[in-house]
Amino acid sequence: MDTQTQAPYKRFRPERYKPQMALSWWWQKPTYLLYILRELTSVFVATYAVILLLTLRALGAGGEAWSDWLTTLQSPGMIALHLVILLFAVYHSLTWFSLAPTALVLRIKDYTVPAKALVVAHVVIWLLCSIAIAAIVLTR
Amino acid sequence: MQKSIKIEVKRYIPEKQPTPFYQEYEIPLEPKWGVLDALTYIKDEMDGTLSFRWSCHMGVCGSCGMMVNGQPALTCATFLEEYLPGPIRIEPLDHFRVIRDLVIDTDDFMGKLKRVKPWLIPVEEKPLSEGENKQTPAELAAFKQYTLCINCLLCYSACPVVGLNETFVGPAAIALAQRYNYDSRDQGQAERHDVLLDHGGAFDCTLIGECSRACPKHVDPTGAIQRYKADGALEYWKRLILPRGAASK
Amino acid sequence: MKKSQNNDPFWWSFFGAGGVFSSFFVPIHVLLLGLALPLGWWLWPEHESLLELARHPLARIYLFLLIALSLFHAAHRIRFTLHDLLLAHSVDKPAAFACYGGAIIGTLYAMVTVWTL
Amino acid sequence: MTRYGPDEHDVLIVGGGGAGLRAAIAVAESDPTLRVAVASKVYPMRSHTVSAEGGSAGVIKSNDSLEEHIYDTISGGDWLCDQDAVEAFVNEAPQELLRMEHWGCPWSREPDGSVAVRSFGGMKNKRTWFAADKSGFHMLHTLFQTSLKYEPVQRYDEFMVTSLLVDDDRCQGVLALEMATGQLHTIAAKSVIMCTGGFGKAFPFTTNANIKTGDGVALAYRAGVALKDMEFVQYHPTGLPFTGILITEATRAEGGWLLNKDDYRYLQDYNLGQPKPEPVLRTMELGPRDRLSQAFEQERLKGRTIKGPYGDYVHLDLRHLGEKHINERLPMVRELCLKYEKIDPVHECIPVRPVVHYTMGGIHTDINGATSLAGLYAAGEAACVSINGANRLGSNSLTELLVFGARAGKAAAEYAKSSPAFSSKLRALAADAEREIDKNWIEPRTKTTNDTLATIRKELYHQMEAGAGIYRDEKSLQTARETVLELQERVRHVPLQDTSYTFNTELTAAIELRNLLELSSAIIESALQRTESRGSHQRTDHPKRDDAKFLTHTLAYRTEYGQAPRIEYAPVTITRWPPKERVYG
Ligand SMILES: Cc1cc2nc3c(=O)[nH]c(=O)nc-3n(C[C@H](O)[C@H](O)[C@H](O)COP(=O)(O)OP(=O)(O)OC[C@H]3O[C@@H](n4cnc5c(N)ncnc54)[C@H](O)[C@@H]3O)c2cc1C
Ligand code: SF4
Ligand code: F3S
Ligand code: FES
């Protein structure tokens, strides 16, 4: 039997309707918005990496360059920028830690370490690291 | 006591007009009714032309997924009283082509499902006479969660990446691949790497996490995908650095 | 087994490492060097002693990794976010080029900086 | 459609449930050159096998024996089983279940890694393999996923088969409605296997899914094949009152109790043994389903059940099992109760009532699934091979899908290889069938009636529950008989509102309803003429089993549309287990 000559049951061949995603999709659900904010933290992380690089440059360029750089840092614009960066950086850290358990499944024999415990562990380590860095820098 | 509730249904009948339209129905509000019961009521008593899929009415066949007030949901396991006083807006699942009314085209998904080789790939066939493969409860627990997927596709319509990127195999398919990867009886990971490492594979996921929030069976595709990314990246480096064929067989 | 045509796992590895590094260490640096010190919440350590600290071999490695990995982390994310926000596959190639390119340049610059400190 | 190959096959399987998929794999394995296809009106993993919870029986433990499984099945079926079929079934069950294990089915395990088994109603020994309480779900998905690896297996998903193409006295394919387009396809096949499941949807309160409308059984019936033992319809004693959602027998196997409105374990009053705190096999709550459902009905008549908005009910008490045990062994039950009844079985009793669950009757086949029509095979709940007799034992059905799915697959493959070329009239036959559909359903009708599909369906439900329910008698059956025949006439005049060709679910519902009506009339007529009580068929006017007259299979043959069937009888195969009284407790 050939199928080619098989007459269609009715002339009709339906079209599919393909919905389009709106440009504003990320605005339509709170969780999407939080996601986009989380992704945008990367812009600030990158910005800070550049600032840190400039800081090192200034540090390496001698005492005068360093105090110039400090003055720059003290400008209100720079302070404001750092505040924003800090906000996003902390959001980045928190979201990163809260998602860490998704990739990490710790199983000790029959016991699976609950995700919450892993998140808490991350936060604790984060705080310890931060204190350590602060101590090293500030006790100079 | 509220006696009735308004249901707005997004309809699409290709013979009628090329774009969808909304239609409203006012139906009696019965205790214990699910959204699906409302739809069958409409179909039986008000409008025989409304098309939608359903079968088991117990949240296990996976055919009745729709958008309910903008969230993907299994309509047989979502209840009217959760949406009082209404109205309730019912639409076909997002990101899929629509065939008719609330019926979406799932062929693309069926193809993707097959691509990840969701079957047991043992090193060699074990003859029946040797009995069962031993698998301890702990080994079972290592992949059990990923076996629970009912292919309802809620995760696909929750995930923006699915909507943005047609080639993405998607959360459920990757979770299913992981279901076999983590099965102590399976040795097919290498074959599945070929798909999951490639374009459209796990690395297209940007960890939005909506898939897991939408999943009615707590499969946690987000976790499955993230865990894959860790395994997959390792495999990638092995394939890059080690001579051909030396990476995991 | 076939070689993957897709380099995303490569970039993702750096993205992941960068994510870990930056989430643990970036906030404290912002707080210290960007706010606490300029605003005088603490006495400024001397330029000399700071420089000495930064020249410690471990510190050099640490600083280099922090900058480079943060850049790669950000590059990967920005690339995908651009794609998600603009809904355009056509931007992906140029975006990838710009993002990863930028990260590579930044990394080289960081290497020189740290080396010559 | 590029997705589908040419519509010509060696073996076509209608139905993508457990039986259909197992058959497809059997064909593909027996000869990879055969062109095999599965046509299903829903995507295979949506098939109703998905909702089976409890498990699948097969002897595997060393303290169990094949002999015992055979005996439990035969006595459970009130001696109406064909004993040769039961023997084959029990013998092949373990290897089929093992094969499922080798295909990856996530069976629950013992601590040492071997497969765990649980007890089940009517079984004297623990032999039910299970995957938590989602056994059917896991089996169906395992079969479906495994079937994907066999390249020769093609699929026609969401194709509803509407007619068989019969010429030269053999079945040569089907006509199927592609739901997405409304196109009718002629699918030619050397042999066809009907795996379309049961027809519990003829009743209002049922655990069965919307798709269980017995289409394949009706198709075979229309093609002249006899329907066997249609009067035997199983009520499951524990369904949720409104939704009919099944609360698996495993709840009772794990130790659940049935309590009437006085918190009394009423089963002890019905020859089912004495209550013990621990579950005891083949007694009390672990008695067979027919007995438990009948006990409920008796309690109801005595006014000792609880009244609710959706009918009377009793309580299933799991509270003494404790939260940990319930979560481990019965997670789905807890989930279902929380969702659909808003109660937590850890702290509250579950309201339950008997609901229609399984249809023992079906297409009359031999031990290889072959029917009297050459080229037509059947397996699964659609078929009646006769291993279930007058009452199926829980957990035998899933195994039946595997054993007889595989057998039918092999037999159909053999037949296809030796069968002659398609007859030249196939195209014309298909055109006829197509015209029939068009005439009956598609052509716009002037409105001459106020009937709708829903009103007719409701009337059918009412008649089946009242006339052919747990207890039946001459009078109730007669009324049901008249009404159902009348409904068959009325349904022909119902105009459809939906004139679209695209996914017209009103059209498919109409076809399904017509199938249900035909089957219902076969159920009723078979029940009317069996003037005895046996297993699930209980006649209040003939309360005794009558082996002298009725140790026989009922065969219902179709006469005219809208006429009652012709009933004949065929002997039951008895080999080593002569009929005895059925005792439990
Ligand atoms: C709630 C519930 C729990 C159960 N629990 C157990 C248990 O614990 N143990 C046990 O042994 N048994 C159990 N059973 C019984 C068992 O699940 C069924 O008997 C069995 O699954 C039937 O399988 P099947 O393959 O014959 O049909 P199904 O799985 O019902 O599949 C029928 C297939 O036929 C297709 N089809 C139907 N009509 C057409 C048509 N016109 N055209 C094309 N395709 C068509 C459908 O699409 C579907 O794919 C349970 C049943 C129910 C309802
Ligand atoms: S992963 Fe969850 S949401 Fe996605 S298809 Fe499976 S069950 Fe549905
Ligand atoms: S929502 Fe989508 S992006 Fe990944 S984590 Fe889930 S698949
Ligand atoms: S109808 Fe089956 S999942 Fe809702």
Side-chain angles (χ1 to χ4, degrees), chain B residues 21-76:
Chain B
F21 56 99
Y22 285 89
Q23 195 165 342
E24 282 183 7
Y25 304 92
E26 181 92 20
I27 60 143
L29 180 64
E30 298 282 342
K32 292 200 189 167
W33 267 18
V35 173
L36 179 63
D37 299 307
L39 292 175
T40 50
Y41 178 86
I42 294 172
K43 176 136 191 111
D44 281 352
E45 310 291 337
M46 303 170 80
D47 184 352
T49 68
L50 182 63
S51 276
F52 50 94
R53 293 190 180 104
W54 69 286
S55 180
C56 69
H57 199 291
M58 56 190 283
V60 65
C61 74
S63 38
C64 68
M66 299 168 207
M67 305 301 288
V68 181
N69 282 357
Q71 293 288 348
L74 283 184
T75 49
C76 71

